[in-house]
């Protein structure tokens, strides 16, 4: 499995074309033991990636669906303690989730807790992995092994979990190519944006989008980017929506202004 994971990570480096996903499976009629892993995720972007991999073969619950950390209700803490696996990014505002997961040492077994950034070798290029199509794809791929290990009901084989994760990871990675295509008309000298520092760090690394300098006129305003998803929106659509804001800039924004014509002698008489 490890050799296969390594090979697939290499393939992601080549940004293979996206693979189609099977239709979602409903489990209304299934017994609880047949529903696959129960996964609790801190924020909606990561939850969507997990949901795509599960594809109906498990249950994913997002603790903070609005994208902002809030105090945990009693029922949320109970859901966290009953989960097979708890996934967090490694942010400080996820500490209450980790405390809830550790609050039941007698659970059999206790929830498996994973920081998704620590699943990657080499480590992610930025702490804001949810803004990065390459590292998000790497996380998706690594989650195949995690889900296979917590699927005690054997709803899928290890190979099936891996194949689902590989397909989702490849589709996510393909957004890098699409983002590059959408930005192609914008000269690199024009790619300036304002907004979240962590997001701008990733966009600078992957797409040469630079933080706007004070007083600069034409920049992409990314300050209002939401870290939650609209109805029926997946991570891929959300990410490309960010890229579209940058690509909407005037592609001639760095073209020097034409000099004013020199008046003819007769015009000044």
């Amino acid at each position: 499995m490890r050799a296969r994971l390594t090979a697939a990570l290499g393939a992601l480096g080549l940004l293979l074309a996206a693979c189609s996903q099977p239709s979602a499976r409903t489990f209304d009629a299934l017994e609880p033991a047949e529903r696959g892993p129960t996964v609790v995720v801190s924020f909606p972007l990561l939850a969507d990636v997990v949901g795509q991999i599960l594809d109906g073969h498990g249950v994913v619950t997002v603790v903070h669906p609005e994208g902002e950390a809030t105090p945990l209700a009693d029922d949320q803490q109970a859901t966290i303690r009953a989960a097979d696996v708890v996934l967090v990014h490694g942010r400080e505002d996820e500490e209450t989730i980790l405390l809830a997961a550790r609050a039941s040492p007698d659970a059999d077994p206790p929830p498996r807790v994973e920081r998704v950034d620590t699943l990657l070798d080499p480590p992610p290029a930025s702490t804001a992995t949810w803004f990065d199509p390459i590292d998000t794809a790497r996380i998706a791929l690594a989650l195949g092994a995690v889900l296979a290990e917590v699927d005690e009901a054997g709803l899928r084989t290890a190979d099936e979990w891996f194949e689902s994760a590989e397909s989702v990871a490849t589709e996510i990675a393909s957004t890098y190519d699409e983002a590059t295509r959408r930005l192609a008309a914008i000269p690199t000298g024009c790619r300036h944006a304002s907004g979240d520092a962590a997001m701008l760090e990733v966009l600078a690394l992957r797409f040469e989008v630079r933080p706007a300098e004070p007083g600069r006129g034409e920049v992409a305003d990314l300050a209002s980017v939401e870290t939650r998803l609209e109805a029926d929106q997946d991570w891929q659509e959300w990410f490309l929506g960010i890229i579209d804001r940058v690509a909407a800039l005037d592609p001639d924004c760095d073209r020097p202004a034409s000099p004013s014509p020199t008046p003819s002698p007769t015009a000044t008489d």
Side-chain angles (χ1 to χ4, degrees), residues 107-131:
D108 185 24
R112 173 172 173 170
V113 178
E114 293 283 358
R115 275 183 48 172
V116 293
D117 58 330
T118 64
L119 295 174
L120 303 186
D121 184 18
S126 166
T127 56
T129 49
W130 58 96
F131 291 126

Side-chain angles (χ1 to χ4, degrees), residues 182-183 185-194 209-210 212 216-222 242-254:
R182 295 186 187 190
L183 290 172
I186 308 298
T188 55
C190 293
R191 299 178 189 178
H192 292 85
S194 62
V209 176
R210 305 299 176 186
R216 189 177 182 93
E218 190 73 16
V219 301
D221 181 7
L222 304 180
I242 295 175
I243 296 301
D244 283 342
R245 292 197 189 189
V246 180
L249 291 178
D250 179 358
D252 297 325
C253 66
D254 66 344

